[in-house]
């Protein structure tokens, strides 16, 4: 059994749950779920890249041999689908924010420039550095 792959899949599932569900429980669990959900709601594609890379590594090393390993791959597929849902929810938010800015600040004050999606998807850390410094 590939323990490293199992830990990666469990972390990916936790990230998806924290992004899609608001956990209202004990304060320590709430704080952890809020922080992870906040971070990975903004960059779910990075978690998806890590999950795909980990799955490819497990297959290339021949670690996917038992039934439990195949179940882990299925759970990883479900986590990947959840990360796609998080990404689609984030993409739907842009028009809502634009309308809210138009309502609050007046029509035409919001930027209508499209974000550089290729740069964000392929080099997410450099996109954050460029947007935060400018």
């Amino acid at each position: 059994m590939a323990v490293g792959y199992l830990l990666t899949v469990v972390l990916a599932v936790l990230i998806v749950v924290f992004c899609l569900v608001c956990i209202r429980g004990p304060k320590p669990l709430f704080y952890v779920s809020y922080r992870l959900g906040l971070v990975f709601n903004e960059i779910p594609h990075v978690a998806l890249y890590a999950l795909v890379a980990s799955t490819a590594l497990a297959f290339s090393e021949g670690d996917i041999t038992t039934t439990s390993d195949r179940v882990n791959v299925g759970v990883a597929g479900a986590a990947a689908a959840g990360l796609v849902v998080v990404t689609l929810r984030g993409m739907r938010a842009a028009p809502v924010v634009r309308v809210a800015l138009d309502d609050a600040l007046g029509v035409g004050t919001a930027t209508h420039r499209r974000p550089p999606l290729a740069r964000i998807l392929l080099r997410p850390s450099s996109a954050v550095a460029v947007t935060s410094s400018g």
Side-chain angles (χ1 to χ4, degrees), residues 71-83:
V71 169
N72 286 341
V73 172
V75 172
L83 288 168

Side-chain angles (χ1 to χ4, degrees), residues 2-128:
V3 176
Y5 181 62
L6 175 65
L7 291 175
T8 303
V9 171
V10 167
L11 182 63
V13 167
L14 285 175
I15 287 170
V16 168
V17 168
F18 293 156
C19 284
L20 294 176
V21 179
C22 180
I23 305 293
R24 288 183 170 85
K27 279 195 175 191
L29 179 63
F30 170 75
Y31 286 132
V32 169
S33 68
Y34 177 75
R35 302 281 187 221
L36 277 176
L38 180 70
V39 169
F40 287 102
N41 247 338
E42 296 297 323
I43 51 171
H45 53 280
V46 173
L48 183 62
Y49 293 159
L51 187 60
V52 168
S54 179
T55 302
L57 180 65
F59 271 112
S60 69
E61 290 184 347
D63 288 342
I64 309 299
T65 55
T66 64
T67 305
S68 62
D69 292 333
R70 290 185 191 99
V71 169
N72 286 341
V73 172
V75 172
L83 288 168
V84 169
V85 169
V86 172
T87 302
L88 293 175
R89 281 177 38 178
M91 290 172 62
R92 270 193 332 208
V96 174
V97 170
R98 185 173 296 121
V99 168
L101 285 173
D102 285 344
D103 287 345
L105 302 175
V107 178
T109 56
T111 180
H112 295 287
R113 197 182 70 169
R114 292 185 54 127
L117 291 179
R119 188 180 72 200
I120 291 171
L121 291 176
L122 299 176
R123 296 183 309 166
S125 60
S126 66
V128 171

